Amino acid sequence: MKDSENSKVTPWEVSGRVDYDKIMTKFGTEPIDQNIMNSLSRLTGGDIHFMLRRGIFFTHRDLGWLLDQIKKGENFYLYTGRGPSDHTHIGHLVPWVFTKWLQDKFHAKLIFQLTDDEKFLFNENLDTEKTHSLALDNALDIVALGFDPKLTEIMIDTDRSGLLYPQAIKIAKKITFSTIKATFGFDQSANIGMIFYTSIQSVPAMIESVRAGKNIPCLIPYGIDQDPHFRIARDVLPRLGFLKPASIMSIFIPPLSGVEGKMSSSDPNSAIFVTDSASVVKRKINKYAFSGGRTSVEEHRKLGGNPDIDVSYQWLRIMFEPDDAKLKKIRDDYISGSLLSGEMKALLIERVNAFLKRHQELRERAKDTLHEFLAEH
Ligand code: TYM
């Protein structure tokens, strides 16, 4: 789906400077307005995650309805996922950090889908052994983020085919080939697994209702690129007697190369992986992070920098500086010229490395507890 001349947002490709207002109109999603913020705040005792305050999570479907259900005492569950094509990168963490906050606030069950089948079907260079081992590797990051093992079920698709397949075929039967072509833009060379795949990603949006034998509302947090799958799910599930899933969607953390597209594994110098060492992080940010600074220190001191195109600042805003007052000071100092772009990078390097040091320890420890998350519950 083209957003403007040079921008594209699909589940497989995000490129160009994304206009998020236009995306909302095109995808038919709602902005997160003050009413939604107020309802959320009432339910969380006044706590609003910085990703909401800053519009990182900026759009939704049926969130107002879901919050009303919660207010009435209705149970709901969370669902999110990952397609294991490589190690996890910082961009993937955006929806997961936010999902963890939702789980903590609402004590909600989370289904986390790892679509090793998807990555096998969509990637010429990956075999099923590789995608399955990457799913296990990525699962360590989910555990390391601190999700509650009693409330979190990680589903690796090829391990859970007995659960997923009988539901996926019910969904697949309601989706025509022409809908898939129109939604995803596949041509005649697409393999038939790709055409079927969206039905697999739809199953967790209703699986808790299947298990309970009654409808349980579902909320799906994700980066906006995944929305086409859930537009289809929302169309089909009611025709099978299930509720439409509600959703809340985020913008993308940009690649190091500049504030266009999304960070993606396909350009390793433009992404930081959770497994990168401190020296690799330092080198990548110093060498590749696009700067909104001026060409000389003198000019920067005189004219100031532009945080809106400065990737290091954007990473702090989206993920690594939760304190609004500190972020504002960084922004103001950059605009005034008192903070140099090398100093902005140093700030980011320090934050990313502090986060990754802890994360890498936790993902090592996660190997002992992963089985609790993989069990059916
Ligand atoms: P995947 O593995 O491409 O991405 C996992 C999640 O990370 C989001 N994301 C980003 N968010 C912010 N900035 C970025 N640079 C960035 N890159 C990726 C994605 O939007 C996604 O939420 N088909 C899916 C797997 C999946 C799934 C789901 C995702 C299955 N069920 C339910 C979300 C919700 C995929 O390949 O995601």
Side-chain angles (χ1 to χ4, degrees):
M1 184 163 308
K2 286 257 175 190
D3 163 45
S4 68
E5 260 327 280
N6 50 14
S7 149
K8 197 171 180 192
V9 177
T10 76
W12 302 284
E13 186 190 346
V14 177
S15 58
R17 184 139 200 175
V18 182
D19 180 333
Y20 290 104
D21 286 334
K22 273 200 197 148
I23 288 285
M24 271 194 281
T25 312
K26 257 189 184 140
F27 286 7
T29 63
E30 302 293 322
I32 296 180
D33 60 16
Q34 205 48 51
N35 284 338
I36 295 275
M37 290 287 208
N38 293 343
S39 311
L40 245 173
S41 172
R42 273 195 293 273
L43 290 166
T44 62
D47 190 7
I48 288 287
H49 194 271
F50 74 88
M51 288 183 184
L52 276 167
R53 290 201 302 272
R54 294 180 192 166
I56 308 304
F57 275 82
F58 71 108
T59 189
H60 74 95
R61 293 177 191 275
D62 281 344
L63 185 56
W65 166 82
L66 184 96
L67 296 174
D68 283 345
Q69 300 300 109
I70 299 173
K71 221 181 307 172
K72 288 185 206 149
E74 182 75 51
N75 195 17
F76 80 104
Y77 72 103
L78 294 159
Y79 159 41
T80 197
R82 156 85 177 127
S85 55
D86 206 327
H87 287 304
T88 299
H89 64 56
I90 298 293
H92 302 127
L93 301 180
V94 173
W96 306 354
V97 163
F98 184 68
T99 303
K100 156 90 167 73
W101 178 79
L102 288 172
Q103 181 177 69
D104 289 349
K105 289 290 151 193
F106 293 99
H107 306 288
K109 173 161 183 183
L110 166 66
I111 302 278
F112 202 114
Q113 184 180 36
L114 285 167
T115 55
D116 58 335
D117 50 350
E118 175 192 10
K119 292 299 147 174
F120 168 70
L121 289 166
F122 282 83
N123 195 318
E124 280 304 313
N125 305 316
L126 294 175
D127 61 27
T128 51
E129 284 73 27
K130 183 70 185 163
T131 52
H132 189 265
S133 76
L134 283 169
L136 287 169
D137 172 89
N138 292 177
L140 298 176
D141 297 308
I142 303 160
V143 176
L145 286 182
F147 288 102
D148 181 341
K150 289 193 203 68
L151 290 174
T152 306
E153 181 173 344
I154 299 176
M155 287 180 184
I156 300 178
D157 282 352
T158 59
D159 289 343
R160 301 301 280 280
S161 51
L163 180 72
L164 297 172
Y165 189 68
Q167 307 307 326
I169 56 173
K170 293 180 198 160
I171 296 168
K173 199 173 179 179
K174 301 273 183 223
I175 306 174
T176 63
F177 182 29
S178 72
T179 297
I180 293 297
K181 272 207 286 196
T183 309
F184 298 110
F186 296 149
D187 62 25
Q188 294 299 103
S189 69
N191 69 56
I192 59 174
M194 291 162 71
I195 296 161
F196 177 75
Y197 168 71
T198 197
S199 55
I200 297 277
Q201 186 157 328
S202 300
V203 174
M206 47 86 122
I207 198 70
E208 288 300 283
S209 300
V210 174
R211 284 167 156 173
K214 63 172 182 159
N215 267 317
I216 302 183
C218 173
L219 173 63
I220 321 176
Y222 51 88
I224 188 75
D225 58 331
Q226 294 298 313
D227 196 62
H229 289 296
F230 299 116
R231 282 206 300 279
I232 293 186
R234 282 169 57 84
D235 177 49
V236 171
L237 295 196
R239 287 153 59 203
L240 295 170
F242 297 103
L243 294 168
K244 288 183 184 205
S247 53
I248 181 161
M249 295 79 106
S250 73
I251 64 167
F252 305 112
I253 208 163
L256 287 171
S257 53
V259 289
E260 293 202 341
K262 66 161 187 175
M263 188 197 296
S264 133
S265 317
S266 50
D267 182 358
N269 287 330
S270 246
I272 285 182
F273 294 89
V274 294
T275 44
D276 282 349
S277 68
S279 60
V280 167
V281 169
K282 188 171 176 193
R283 181 181 58 80
K284 281 187 182 173
I285 293 177
N286 278 333
K287 188 158 179 199
Y288 299 110
F290 186 83
S291 159
R294 303 281 171 172
T295 42
S296 72
V297 171
E298 295 70 46
E299 215 185 315
H300 189 93
R301 293 264 185 239
K302 203 160 79 199
L303 301 170
N306 180 357
D308 297 333
I309 58 164
D310 190 283
V311 168
S312 303
Y313 175 79
Q314 291 304 320
W315 283 32
L316 289 166
R317 181 177 81 89
I318 296 172
M319 181 79 188
F320 291 104
E321 181 46 86
D323 184 318
D324 287 348
K326 284 190 189 152
L327 186 74
K328 181 171 184 316
K329 180 155 170 35
I330 294 169
R331 182 183 174 85
D332 291 348
D333 288 352
Y334 201 54
I335 292 173
S336 78
S338 65
L339 186 75
L340 300 174
S341 67
E343 293 168 335
M344 180 77 89
K345 288 188 179 201
L347 261 177
L348 180 68
I349 291 166
E350 193 257 308
R351 293 303 166 84
V352 173
N353 277 337
F355 172 83
L356 288 186
K357 182 169 185 293
R358 174 130 183 84
H359 186 81
Q360 286 166 6
E361 283 162 18
L362 291 168
R363 92 193 284 289
E364 238 350 88
R365 270 192 249 160
K367 291 176 182 161
D368 297 332
T369 53
L370 180 57
H371 62 277
E372 294 173 37
F373 291 81
L374 293 173
E376 188 156 335
H377 57 288

